[in-house]
Amino acid sequence: MKITSSAVSLNVDDVSASSSFLVEHFGFREAMAADGFASLTRDDAGMNVVFLRRGLETLPADQRDDHARGLILAFVVDDLEGELARLQAEGVTITMPLTAEEWGERAFQVRDPNGVIVQLVDWNGPV
């Protein structure tokens, strides 16, 4: 098998709100969009983020009403403190403060308007 690209698809109630959040605060751009669908990309992300409106008939019946709860959309960044300060200055609510784990991961989290968790991470900080 050869994988030519990657995406994560998340079911949300308001596709436009989640899409706008990643565009405004995380530098994504919409590569494709239609009613109930948006595919976002960044040249450096290595994957697309796809938002699908809950209840879409094109989804299998057992997935239509699922919501993206419990998933964490994580991005590794070079300047974690700088990103934290930038998001706070933009008025984004930090839902998990900057934490450091014993294995070297440092991270903080925000939520988009649909409750999707976005986590920024680095592995460079002291343990």
Side-chain angles (χ1 to χ4, degrees):
M1 166 176 56
K2 179 181 177 185
I3 297 175
T4 60
S5 64
S6 298
V8 59
S9 292
L10 305 169
N11 295 351
V12 297
D13 290 320
D14 186 342
V15 169
S16 179
S18 285
S19 178
S20 294
F21 187 79
L22 284 189
V23 168
E24 180 179 350
H25 299 294
F26 294 93
F28 279 80
R29 69 181 184 285
E30 279 192 357
M32 294 180 281
D35 183 38
F37 163 82
S39 178
L40 295 107
T41 190
R42 276 183 60 122
D43 292 339
D44 59 353
M47 69 171 194
N48 284 13
V49 177
V50 175
F51 293 110
L52 300 171
R53 186 179 61 240
R54 289 176 61 198
L56 277 179
E57 292 293 322
T58 57
L59 291 170
D62 66 338
Q63 297 175 19
R64 280 185 198 135
D65 295 317
D66 289 346
H67 185 273
R69 282 192 173 82
L71 299 173
I72 297 173
L73 192 54
F75 302 113
V76 177
V77 297
D78 291 333
D79 181 10
L80 194 62
E81 286 85 358
E83 294 301 325
L84 177 60
R86 179 186 62 79
L87 289 167
Q88 288 173 320
E90 292 175 1
V92 176
T93 300
I94 307 304
T95 56
M96 182 186 88
L98 181 59
T99 60
E101 302 295 345
E102 64 185 47
W103 54 85
E105 176 188 68
R106 297 182 324 139
F108 70 90
Q109 294 178 347
V110 302
R111 286 183 184 259
D112 86 349
N114 285 291
V116 174
I117 300 167
V118 180
Q119 177 172 296
L120 296 186
V121 179
D122 79 11
W123 297 90
N124 303 320
V127 179

